[in-house]
Amino acid sequence: GMRRESSFAFGNDSAVDLGGRPALESQKSFGISALSVEDEEGEGEDGAGDPRAWVNTISAFEMPRLGYEVEGKHFVAAKSKASMFPSPSEKIAVFRDRYNIIHQRLLRSEAFQVPSFSVRAPALTRSDTTTAQQFYKLTPIANLLGRGGTQHLLLGMLGVAPTGGLAFHDLSGSISLDLQHAQPMQGQDSAYFCPGMIVLIEGQYEEDWAGAGSSGLGNTGGVGGTIGGRFLGFSIGGPPVERRNVSLGVDLKAGDPGGGFGWTDFLGLGSDRAVGERMRRLEKRLLDPASPSCVGEGRRKMVVLGEVTLDQSATLAALRKVLQFYDSADAEPPMSFVLTGNFSSRAAMANAGTGSVEYKELFDSLAAILSDFPRLLRSSTWTFIPGDNDPWASSFSAGASALIPREGIPDFFTNRIRRAFAAAKAEVSLGSKKESVDGEAVWTSNPARVSLFGPAHEVVVFRDDLASRFRRTTIRVGEATKTRTDTTVEIEVDMPDAAAATIEGAGSQDAAMSDTQPSAPTDPPSLIAAKKLILSLLPQSTLSPFPMAIRPTHWSYTSALSLYPLPHTLVLVDAESEPFALTFEGCHVLNPGRLVTGSGKRKVVKWGEYDCWTRRGVIQEDFVG
């Protein structure tokens, strides 16, 4: 019979009764792994009544290394050993896996489903692909040869050719690209299009009729898989986003084709099919306000502080202001605090005036502030995520784009912080209330994942100035159409999946926007920029849709940058963007922005507050100074 080991495997600590079935070979990619789920009677014991007992911070280097297998249509564990010097084949696999994940996701979209029968009478007349066609069909680049003058829809990666022009790549080949007449599918200026991004382009293939006697300048036909001619794009857009439940194949509506990845353990804490339902019941019991054993509203909060530059006195005063806000005696302390770098405004150990001794003194100052709030240290989980100015990466990059994912801050600099936590725990013997779960400081990687109740709630935390990098590398499209001011360009491409996608604001007045239309003229510029950032990032299913030369990544750990399936929440700390809290296709994106803004004596402090039950965040602000 067929071997099932490649599809399902359960670890030795599985709580699932297999009924005498022989044990299968354990694989970290599938089934139940590190999450121990007890019976209903034991869920309230040993600190499990505190939701913080179910908070797990997962480093990018601890996540399962998974790759998508096209033949089996499932994820498999990487066979090669992770290394800082991997083989060149792993660099090729970075693009191949990204393309295959988006391609399989795209084929499940309603717009690409081929109908089993057609109600239209067959005819030999040629029809327009963008108006009369009821479904979309992708054409590999290699299949364009010999089909000059015909229109096609391509899926591939934008790139720059050796001659300096635009190129388009997929797994079958490459072609020269012309986007002078292209228009975005989601509306004018609705998303960024940069080299390294995987996009959909509809247009017409024009063959190259240059003979043997021509100069051939700039003609790379046949070299490196590049076919002759060029592709003239009429419309360009990101692939439709797939909701998390559709990717996992759980809680589907009638007729929805699910991805069927519910048995895949993406975090190393158990798959959604194996332990997800049990963990969702536990989450409801501890966090739902209607439950009798629910914790207080303050206990459901996760506080996110961005760009905590400890070498500035205004930042230390703002941090103290925030901690005083949550140290009220009549309110429960938050479940977790997340502090993100850069912890130094200048690159540490890069001849910028901040050496190892000066950098360690920054955390000594932080420890002095935290020691004044022992209740918060005992009752909350504190997660520290580095930025590009933090060591050791800053000593090589001098604050430029460092290699991601990157390790956390070394223990050498954080001894005083750990001592502050130990001192706070020691005060329990003096009459303070003993917490069921001790507070802890977690120094993790960038990016990192915070799991609440296993696979039932996934939060991705990433510190990067993505918006500015998108602006620096974006490609200008439709330049030829912008010069014709006397005519209006209408876009006829309309994908059902894209039309249903909305972005919702997290304020009291929720703003909804269809991603096939531009933002409303009444939207403030900061909201328009936030929507543009979200519509550019989430369809790429990765945190870094850039070439290696612009944002280098570890070839062996690129699966840790994946946004597939979509997490429940993405905490994107972008210090150069205005704070926002928006929801797109079920994924809530929270950016707390910079902790301290403004000038003069009276500065503004802003931070993000995330409710772990409603899975929505708000931006809090106050004055300091």
Side-chain angles (χ1 to χ4, degrees), residues 157-169 174-180 194-196 217-220 226 229-231 475-476:
M157 184 178 71
L158 292 171
V160 179
T163 55
L166 286 178
F168 203 53
H169 316 278
S174 304
I175 190 173
S176 178
L177 185 63
D178 185 353
L179 295 178
Q180 295 185 34
C194 307
L217 182 63
N219 182 12
T220 57
T226 302
R230 67 170 183 168
F231 192 75
I475 296 171
R476 291 181 295 179

Side-chain angles (χ1 to χ4, degrees), residues 446-491:
N446 182 28
R449 315 256 169 164
V450 178
S451 168
L452 306 170
F453 303 95
H457 194 169
E458 177 185 353
V459 179
V460 177
V461 185
F462 186 39
R463 169 64 184 97
D464 192 23
D465 296 330
L466 275 175
S468 59
R469 187 173 291 108
F470 274 126
R471 289 193 295 267
R472 289 194 302 266
T473 60
T474 187
I475 296 171
R476 291 181 295 179
V477 299
E479 290 298 312
T481 61
K482 293 178 182 178
T483 60
R484 297 178 297 176
T485 58
D486 55 339
T487 58
T488 302
V489 180
E490 295 185 359
I491 308 169

Side-chain angles (χ1 to χ4, degrees), residues 237-561:
V241 176
E242 187 176 73
R243 287 180 171 268
R244 180 182 179 88
N245 67 305
V246 176
S247 301
L248 298 179
V250 296
D251 299 330
L252 295 175
K253 299 179 181 179
D256 285 349
F261 300 123
W263 284 107
T264 305
D265 183 8
F266 292 98
L267 300 179
L269 297 176
S271 65
D272 192 275
R273 288 281 189 181
V275 299
E277 186 61 32
R278 176 69 67 84
M279 299 310 294
R280 277 186 285 271
R281 290 201 305 267
L282 181 60
E283 180 184 29
K284 183 181 175 83
R285 184 171 68 86
L286 296 180
L287 299 183
D288 187 0
S291 172
S293 55
C294 170
V295 297
E297 181 180 0
R299 196 59 172 162
R300 303 199 307 259
K301 305 294 184 182
M302 177 187 294
V303 180
V304 185
L305 310 178
E307 193 75 1
V308 187
T309 50
L310 299 175
D311 55 347
Q312 297 179 357
S313 58
T315 301
L316 298 177
L319 182 60
R320 182 178 294 274
K321 185 85 171 181
V322 174
L323 297 184
Q324 289 173 349
F325 180 80
Y326 291 102
D327 196 35
S328 174
D330 55 350
E332 292 190 69
M335 184 188 307
S336 175
F337 285 89
V338 178
L339 278 69
T340 64
N342 299 309
F343 293 107
S344 173
S345 59
R346 296 174 294 183
M349 289 171 291
N351 294 327
T354 304
S356 59
V357 176
E358 291 82 4
Y359 189 79
K360 187 176 186 303
E361 289 176 351
L362 299 182
F363 285 99
D364 294 347
S365 301
L366 176 62
I369 295 178
L370 296 182
S371 299
D372 294 337
F373 304 93
R375 178 167 171 264
L376 297 180
L377 299 186
R378 288 192 303 268
S379 306
S380 303
T381 300
W382 295 72
T383 305
F384 297 84
I385 295 179
D388 289 335
N389 284 351
D390 297 311
W392 298 113
S394 61
S395 59
F396 301 96
S397 65
S401 296
L403 198 65
I404 57 170
R406 53 156 300 177
E407 290 279 6
I409 297 175
D411 295 344
F412 169 76
F413 301 103
T414 61
N415 292 333
R416 288 285 182 90
I417 303 288
R418 301 177 191 278
R419 266 186 267 171
F421 276 82
K425 296 175 186 177
E427 291 184 10
V428 175
S429 58
L430 301 178
S432 301
K433 179 183 177 182
K434 176 71 171 72
E435 297 291 337
S436 57
V437 181
D438 288 335
E440 59 176 342
V442 181
W443 305 86
T444 186
S445 63
N446 182 28
R449 315 256 169 164
V450 178
S451 168
L452 306 170
F453 303 95
H457 194 169
E458 177 185 353
V459 179
V460 177
V461 185
F462 186 39
R463 169 64 184 97
D464 192 23
D465 296 330
L466 275 175
S468 59
R469 187 173 291 108
F470 274 126
R471 289 193 295 267
R472 289 194 302 266
T473 60
T474 187
I475 296 171
R476 291 181 295 179
V477 299
E479 290 298 312
T481 61
K482 293 178 182 178
T483 60
R484 297 178 297 176
T485 58
D486 55 339
T487 58
T488 302
V489 180
E490 295 185 359
I491 308 169
E492 296 181 343
V493 177
D494 187 17
M495 296 186 181
D497 275 42
T502 58
I503 291 184
E504 299 174 354
S508 58
Q509 296 179 351
D510 289 349
M513 182 192 77
S514 171
D515 72 352
T516 56
Q517 300 175 356
S519 299
T522 57
D523 289 344
S526 60
L527 181 59
I528 295 176
K531 292 180 178 179
K532 188 174 183 179
L533 174 61
I534 294 174
L535 287 177
S536 304
L537 180 64
L538 293 189
Q540 298 301 310
S541 293
T542 181
L543 289 169
S544 181
F546 303 101
M548 295 287 181
I550 296 178
R551 186 52 154 165
T553 59
H554 278 301
W555 302 347
S556 296
Y557 296 100
T558 51
S559 61
L561 306 177

